[in-house]
Every structure is written in structure tokens, then in C-alpha cells.
Amino acid sequence: MSIIMKTNATDDDVKAVVKMLEGFGLRADISKGEYHTVIGEIGDEKKMDAELIKTLQGVKDVIPIQVPYRLMSRSYIDNDITVKVGNTKIGGKEPPVYIAGPCSIESYEQLSRIGIKVKEAGANMLRGGAFKPRTSVHSFQGLGTEGLKHLRRVGEELDMPTVTEVRSELDVEIVAEYADMLQIGARNMYNQDLIEAVAKQNKPVLFKRGFSAQIDEYLSFGERLIAHGNRNVVLCERGITPLGGAFKQQTRYTLDIAAVPVINSETPFPVITDPSHASGRKDLVVPMARASIAAGANGLIIEVHDRPQEALSDANQALHPDVLKELIKSCNDIYETLNRKIG
Ligand code: PEP
Ligand code: MN
């Protein structure tokens, strides 16, 4: 349900609604809009007596929300949400944001070299994995805390906000100490405990779609971030499981381009795509990036390496910084053509 308060409702009116919800065994999420405060209940809505709530002073209406991701839905919050990471804004009417950097942080020197180049190419934020999710236990597993230190140092030197994945609940605090934005990876989209621990850090979150998740399932898990008090959420379409079959698999995953406008129409939260992991092939990253911006993505996260032959992970999808520069230029051209303004 969405409890809409009257324009002249006071703080005490809002408190009375929250108290009544708590009396029903529910929690409340308060959303202060330009004209109305809207209150959403967290918990089993069958416990709520909407007619009783309507009798409270200051309540304008109580409206049912038809989707399971109630707090994330446009029926609850209509205005686009802009998420701020350092001095970078993602979402709403902001031009596309480009997050770029290596798959894995391999050393300070590697990250610094690549960081300088992605910044020159026009990237707004720096990415780099320290706690890596890897299929094989024999592959490079990431530098862990040492990598986080390099990330913070390079981010500060280049004045670029940083994002890195947090893979385990045990690492949430340390990652939050060093990074500006916490990434929950595709493999952890279903990890309730991790999602809740990350939400509580009150840092911006990059929440990736699981590769086998339906969109409403994805948003329902994202809802947990909001229900635990964190609205600084950026969604990310990163490709879904491709069709199997007897023929050679051409792409690593399938970028679900339609997810971008679907998410945009369902929720006010920003959505970006990850054409690197979605395609797994450097020759497809640029066309998939362009398609994403044309479909309405608020930004992109792109893997870049200046010496891909030496990359310790995901070498096949790493773009050279010069290609990133072209990518950003052409995506900005597309954005301008469709929106008629930048800057
Ligand atoms: C990543 O961004 O480093 C990553 C591993 O992505 P995903 O979780 O989408 O596979
Ligand atoms: Mn990678």
C-alpha cells in the first residue's frame, strides 16, 4: 500500500501513521515528495487495516501497489531518483555516467596507469575488483584488502569516485571503508544477508541482476536495500544466461536490452548496463554500449586494460583505453541526439 499524506500534514500526523503501522507489526518507509509525503509499509500488508489508517489526521488516501517490489515501484515514488557517488550523479536527467577500469586490481601501478587513461577517455568513476568472484579456484582470486587500498589511493589521486564488489558479508565493513560505492555482483543477487548488510552501510550500491533472474525477481531482491533504509541504489543489467544448444556459444551472456526500458518504466531508480560481462567479447562491447544508451540507460560499466594480454582476468572483454574514448564519444552523441542536451 501507498499511504499518501495531505500537503498540509504535519510531522506528528506522519508519526501517528508510523505508530499505527508498528501497532500492526509492520515497519514504515517514509518518502518525502515535492507535494506529498508518502509512507510505505514494510512487511505483510495483510496485517494492515487500510480503512483505519484512512481515519487518521493528515492521511489523504491509501492506494494498493500491485507489484511485489512496492518501495521500488513508480506507484510509490514517481520522481526519478538520482544517486550521488562522490561528485558524480547517476540517474534522472543527468547525462550518462561511465564507470571504467580493470576487471581486477592487479597492482597499484596497473590501476594507476589504467585509471589515468580512463579518466582521459572521459570516464567519471573508477572500477576494479579486489574480492573477485571466480569460477575456478585455480584462477587469480583478487588482491583483497591490498587491492582496496590501491583503489582508494588511485581514486583520490585522480579525484574519481570508486566502485568495487563486496562478495561476502564478512567483507562489507572493510569494503565500505575504502570504496565510495559497493557492488553486489550477479552471483550474489539472491544473497539476502549480504544485501541487508550492504544496505546498512548507507553507501551507494551498484546492484547487479543475476544472470537467471526475471526482472520482477531482481527488483524484489533490490527492494531489500530500500526496506533496510538505503535508497542510493543503481541497478545494472549485465546479461542473462544465453540459450544452450549444439552450436558454438557466441556470447558469454545475452544483454537483455529490453530490461533497460522495462526497469525505467517500473522503477524511478537509475539503471546502467555492463556490456563487458554481458558479451565477453571486446568487439561487441561498443555496439552493446551504444544500444544501451539508446535504450535509456543512465550509464555503463566497462572493463578496460591497457595491456589486455597481461590481464589476470577477463582479458577477452577488456577494451583498450583508446577504444573507451571512442565508445564514450559515440554514446554521448547518441544521448545528445535522443535528448538534445548535454552539460
Ligand atoms: C564484475 O563486475 O567484476 C563482475 C564480476 O560482474 P558480474 O557480477 O556481473 O559477473
Ligand atoms: Mn570481469
Side-chain angles (χ1 to χ4, degrees):
M1 299 279 180
S2 203
I3 303 163
I4 322 248
M5 302 301 289
K6 292 181 181 158
T7 33
N8 61 357
T10 63
D11 285 351
D12 282 345
D13 295 342
V14 171
K15 276 190 201 142
V17 174
V18 173
K19 202 160 164 231
M20 186 174 275
L21 286 176
E22 286 171 354
F24 294 141
L26 299 165
R27 289 195 293 125
D29 178 85
I30 300 171
S31 178
K32 284 199 192 312
E34 207 177 322
Y35 304 109
H36 300 278
T37 293
V38 181
I39 304 170
E41 86 289 1
I42 302 167
D44 181 358
E45 72 177 5
K46 288 201 279 309
K47 289 184 181 167
M48 176 173 150
D49 183 342
E51 291 311 313
L52 205 55
I53 299 235
K54 278 187 199 165
T55 65
L56 290 178
Q57 186 168 299
V59 174
K60 182 168 185 274
D61 208 353
V62 180
I63 297 173
I65 303 177
Q66 308 297 354
V67 289
Y69 41 89
R70 310 199 285 257
L71 307 175
M72 275 210 137
S73 77
R74 282 208 185 262
S75 330
Y76 180 56
I77 311 172
D78 194 27
N79 294 343
D80 285 341
I81 287 179
T82 303
V83 173
K84 225 173 152 225
V85 192
N87 46 20
T88 299
K89 289 187 191 147
I90 312 175
K93 302 245 176 301
E94 298 296 326
V97 163
Y98 302 96
I99 306 171
C103 177
S104 297
I105 300 162
E106 299 167 9
S107 65
Y108 166 76
E109 289 69 26
Q110 173 248 21
L111 187 65
S112 170
R113 253 182 12 241
I114 297 174
I116 290 169
K117 290 188 177 143
V118 299
K119 183 165 183 175
E120 273 171 17
N124 315 81
M125 281 181 60
L126 183 65
R127 67 149 284 147
F131 293 95
K132 294 298 302 171
R134 300 310 307 274
T135 303
S136 170
V137 70
H138 306 295
S139 314
F140 174 60
Q141 305 294 306
L143 295 181
T145 306
E146 186 195 333
L148 295 178
K149 291 182 180 164
H150 301 328
L151 183 66
R152 180 160 83 183
R153 182 170 162 204
V154 175
E156 282 174 2
E157 285 168 357
L158 297 175
D159 193 21
M160 289 176 96
T162 57
V163 59
T164 194
E165 176 163 353
V166 52
R167 206 183 52 199
S168 154
E169 253 177 284
L170 302 174
D171 304 323
V172 169
E173 279 183 21
I174 187 88
V175 176
E177 190 183 323
Y178 285 98
D180 298 307
M181 183 181 217
L182 308 190
Q183 174 173 323
I184 296 178
R187 290 156 193 79
N188 268 316
M189 189 214 88
Y190 294 100
N191 187 337
Q192 277 178 234
D193 295 328
L194 177 65
I195 294 172
E196 291 171 16
V198 166
K200 286 180 191 146
Q201 290 299 318
N202 252 324
K203 285 225 157 177
V205 183
L206 181 58
F207 185 59
K208 288 186 141 191
R209 178 181 178 189
F211 29 76
S212 304
Q214 303 286 354
I215 295 173
D216 53 358
E217 197 183 3
Y218 171 42
L219 298 180
S220 294
F221 276 87
E223 174 97 345
R224 290 202 156 77
L225 292 163
I226 324 297
H228 287 85
N230 194 332
R231 275 202 184 184
N232 298 310
V233 179
V234 175
L235 298 162
C236 180
E237 160 57 40
R238 48 79 69 213
I240 52 177
T241 307
L243 294 172
F247 297 98
K248 182 174 169 285
Q249 189 60 61
Q250 296 285 359
T251 58
R252 190 175 177 187
Y253 295 95
T254 302
L255 184 65
D256 184 5
I257 287 282
V260 173
V262 169
I263 291 171
N264 271 332
S265 68
E266 289 295 305
T267 97
F269 288 86
V271 56
I272 69 169
T273 74
D274 175 346
S276 305
H277 289 94
S279 59
R281 284 172 43 173
K282 57 178 120 258
D283 60 322
L284 298 183
V285 174
V286 173
M288 291 300 97
R290 291 173 175 165
S292 301
I293 296 301
N298 298 110
L300 301 166
I301 181 164
I302 308 279
E303 289 191 345
V304 176
H305 207 294
D306 59 340
R307 299 173 192 164
Q309 65 287 358
E310 291 174 19
L312 296 182
S313 57
D314 286 350
N316 293 340
Q317 66 199 36
L319 289 193
H320 190 274
D322 294 344
V323 181
L324 178 72
K325 193 169 181 175
E326 285 307 307
L327 178 153
I328 292 178
K329 193 181 167 313
S330 66
C331 285
N332 281 341
D333 286 346
I334 290 168
Y335 178 83
E336 278 194 21
T337 303
L338 296 175
N339 294 275
R340 303 264 170 240
K341 58 172 183 294
I342 260 190

